[in-house]
Amino acid sequence: MEVGQFQKDNINMAIIGIDLGGTNIKGVVMNTDGEVMHQHYIPTIDDKEGLWKSNVKEMVEFLKSNSQLEITGIGLSAPGLPNDTNTAIAYLPDRLLGLENFDWTTYFEQKTYVINDAHSAAMAEYKFGVAKEFKTFVLLTLGTGVGGGIIINGQLYQGLSQMAGHLGHVSINHFDDERSILGVPGSLEYAIGNYSVERRSFGKYKSTWELVKDFEKGDHFASLIWLNSVKALATGINSFINMLSPEAIVLSGGITMADNALYEPLQTFLDVLEFRPAGKQTAILQAHFGDMSGAIGAASYVMDKEL
């Protein structure tokens, strides 16, 4: 597919978006209005290269066979850092063996764009979600860890070596001896990510869900741990606001399922911390898309490149 092909006649055209994760491969067929025509899941076997590659191909073939529209492009969301042309993942050590530098365009025999999974979530919200009215915003994914994506003046900012958006790896407490996987002491990811809740709660809680449940019951210890985490999140968000002056901060991921237990104290902390000249206040929004955001964002990235 040549650049600009969508512009010739996009009425009967569609894009496939694939989200390649360690647990599931998710796929969608989207028309150029952003309507999801079909979606599908296949389990991923992380450590078996041949199997997960064939499963991705099976996904693409299934979606093509069930689409009434012409498939004119493929987008693939995956962990790791894409190369400069977004045609492959250039860097992802120790996971999904064989993913690094794999040529998806040749494998599918069709032009394929590859995008980082957190960047993909930002693209989904920008094209068709809660941020579609904004030109500059920051998306944070709050789950096992903390990731992110940045849209500046209507463009996904990927940065040198496509590293932009590692927002969970800002330091909240440089005195902490804990270091993130990127080497950052006292990271935002450690302060609120689900992977660290057991350590942060001295072994009392195994998950954020358990912690929030006790917080909602008024448990004092749970309140201390949870509110410290939310304050750290507010501190990080305030730093992003000061750096980029975005129109909005969009939050996604499993931890946002805490709903008011998250958003009410978060707003209280931001009311104290955020610099608001002339009444300016940055919107804090819940992401529209859930677990299909990676696939939808991958398709959205293709549209952004080709339409």
Side-chain angles (χ1 to χ4, degrees):
M1 180 180 64
E2 297 178 356
V3 172
Q5 182 174 329
F6 279 124
Q7 297 172 352
K8 296 176 183 177
D9 178 13
N10 62 20
I11 296 175
N12 295 312
M13 295 182 177
I15 303 93
I16 285 177
I18 303 294
D19 181 19
L20 173 57
T23 304
N24 288 297
I25 301 165
K26 303 163 190 172
V28 298
V29 175
M30 285 178 58
N31 65 22
T32 53
D33 291 326
E35 182 182 359
V36 175
M37 313 299 290
H38 303 281
Q39 64 183 48
H40 192 47
Y41 295 79
I42 296 177
T44 309
I45 304 301
D46 201 342
D47 59 349
K48 295 183 179 179
E49 176 181 355
L51 186 56
W52 66 255
K53 283 182 181 178
S54 64
N55 281 348
V56 174
K57 195 161 194 175
E58 177 188 335
M59 170 73 79
V60 169
E61 291 172 352
F62 174 86
L63 292 172
K64 282 185 175 181
S65 67
N66 283 276
S67 175
Q68 302 300 312
L69 302 178
E70 178 189 356
I71 302 299
T72 53
I74 300 171
L76 185 137
S77 163
L81 306 179
N83 61 15
D84 290 341
T85 55
N86 286 95
T87 56
I89 291 294
Y91 186 76
L92 181 67
D94 305 322
R95 289 181 61 195
L96 293 170
L97 179 65
L99 180 63
E100 288 185 340
N101 301 310
F102 185 72
D103 184 351
W104 291 100
T105 293
T106 299
Y107 190 57
F108 294 141
E109 299 181 338
Q110 187 163 11
K111 177 67 176 178
T112 302
Y113 288 98
V114 180
I115 185 173
N116 170 267
D117 47 8
H119 290 182
S120 188
M123 285 301 304
E125 297 300 329
Y126 173 60
K127 292 293 286 186
F128 303 109
V130 296
K132 62 185 178 183
E133 303 300 325
F134 301 131
K135 290 297 183 183
T136 299
F137 73 94
V138 172
L139 177 134
L140 276 170
T141 59
L142 308 176
T144 302
V146 176
I150 304 168
I151 303 290
I152 299 177
N153 294 328
Q155 297 293 319
L156 175 66
Y157 180 67
Q158 299 183 90
L160 178 66
S161 298
Q162 313 284 52
M163 269 190 60
H166 280 83
L167 303 176
H169 300 277
V170 299
S171 181
I172 300 300
N173 176 15
H174 72 279
F175 292 107
D176 199 319
D177 61 1
E178 176 278 334
R179 298 181 68 192
S180 77
I181 59 172
L182 299 190
V184 175
S187 67
L188 175 59
E189 179 171 88
Y190 175 75
I192 198 166
N194 191 59
Y195 84 96
S196 63
V197 69
E198 185 171 5
R199 179 181 164 188
R200 288 186 282 115
S201 67
F202 303 96
K204 183 173 182 180
Y205 298 108
K206 306 296 188 204
S207 70
T208 301
W209 180 83
E210 293 175 355
L211 173 63
V212 170
K213 187 176 178 181
D214 275 3
F215 166 75
E216 291 176 328
K217 293 176 181 177
D219 181 273
H220 295 303
F221 181 75
S223 296
L224 174 66
I225 302 300
W226 177 242
L227 291 177
N228 274 338
S229 297
V230 177
K231 182 185 177 185
L233 176 61
T235 302
I237 286 175
N238 195 49
S239 297
F240 305 144
I241 290 171
N242 291 339
M243 283 188 287
L244 298 171
S245 192
E247 296 166 88
I249 303 289
V250 178
L251 302 182
S252 69
I255 290 177
T256 65
M257 298 300 289
D259 295 327
N260 288 339
L262 170 65
Y263 286 101
E264 288 182 0
L266 176 61
Q267 194 61 66
T268 297
F269 286 124
L270 285 171
D271 287 343
V272 175
L273 297 173
E274 185 182 356
F275 177 52
R276 295 171 178 172
K280 174 199 77 69
Q281 181 175 349
T282 307
I284 308 296
L285 304 174
Q286 169 67 43
H288 174 71
F289 294 108
D291 66 347
M292 297 302 288
S293 63
I296 291 169
S300 300
Y301 186 75
V302 177
M303 294 184 202
D304 201 57
K305 284 288 188 180
E306 298 293 343
L307 278 174

